[in-house]
Amino acid sequence: MIKAHEMNFDNGEYVFFNIDLFSSKNDSARPWYRANDTDERNHNARQAYEALMTVTLRKPTSPEYHSFSEEVKRRARRMYKNFTYGEEEVNSFVGAFHDAVILYALALNETLAADGSITDGAAITRRMWNRTFEGITGTVSIDSNGDRNADYSLLDLNPATDQFEVVETISETKQEVSSRSQVGPSTLGRGGDRTTPASDRPSQCRFRS
């Protein structure tokens, strides 16, 4: 994004999309800031990131997930010396692994109840498909191909707070898109000083070799 700023691509005529599935809550809130960088580069990055929108996995926000996070952190402190989480809540992938074990247990129990074998992987796998249950991360929905229907969040920089915030949630499980924008449609994904929509034909495209 620093290079985009240098090439004047944050002038309001361009929008950049970033796929970031693994960042922590703290890292995703202010990705433009580097404590060990110069004030000038942080300023330029801050300006450039106004033209960036990030797609990430929806982070669970339920009280149940908060309790789950506290228990994971408590066990980590007890079982692994000198290890602490630097986050308010553990990464959503930790919850996803938890729900994967629950999914396997449900399918295994059903297989055994039908006089199946614990070694019959094909039978156990078939019982994982086409099913929905409530996990620690929320609704877990597995389609007919064995893929999980995931929920995603769209993040945009709020100029008032200098932080990226969730503005849209795309739910494959509920087949819906919900808006949570506090930024306002006039500033979503728009960099520079532009106050009106840009042309669909960018005029400042100057590539360098």
Side-chain angles (χ1 to χ4, degrees), residues 29-42:
R30 300 181 76 204
W32 55 269
Y33 179 76
R34 297 289 183 273
N36 60 350
D37 213 334
T38 65
D39 290 342
E40 180 183 3
R41 281 176 58 85
N42 278 327

Side-chain angles (χ1 to χ4, degrees), residues 121-136:
I124 296 172
T125 299
R126 283 195 298 271
R127 286 181 167 82
M128 294 183 186
W129 298 352
N130 281 321
R131 72 180 306 151
T132 300
F133 67 97
E134 289 301 315
I136 200 66

Side-chain angles (χ1 to χ4, degrees), residues 20 23-31 59 155 163-165:
D20 187 0
S23 284
S24 65
K25 182 178 179 180
N26 290 347
D27 290 338
S28 62
R30 300 181 76 204
K59 291 180 171 54
L155 280 65
Q163 294 191 6
F164 273 74
E165 301 174 4

Side-chain angles (χ1 to χ4, degrees), residues 105-200:
L106 291 172
L108 176 60
N109 287 339
E110 290 178 1
T111 301
L112 295 177
D115 295 327
S117 170
I118 193 173
T119 60
D120 190 347
I124 296 172
T125 299
R126 283 195 298 271
R127 286 181 167 82
M128 294 183 186
W129 298 352
N130 281 321
R131 72 180 306 151
T132 300
F133 67 97
E134 289 301 315
I136 200 66
T137 58
T139 302
V140 179
S141 173
I142 309 299
D143 67 16
S144 58
N145 292 319
D147 297 320
R148 178 173 180 175
N149 295 312
D151 294 343
Y152 299 92
S153 294
L154 181 66
L155 280 65
D156 190 40
L157 181 66
N158 186 339
T161 63
D162 286 341
Q163 294 191 6
F164 273 74
E165 301 174 4
V166 175
V167 294
E168 301 279 356
T169 298
I170 302 95
S171 175
E172 286 188 315
T173 59
K174 298 180 181 179
Q175 296 293 309
E176 66 180 19
V177 177
S178 58
S179 175
R180 295 173 53 189
S181 174
Q182 301 297 318
V183 181
S186 63
T187 57
L188 281 178
R190 190 169 298 157
D193 298 323
R194 181 180 294 278
T195 58
T196 59
S199 167
D200 61 356

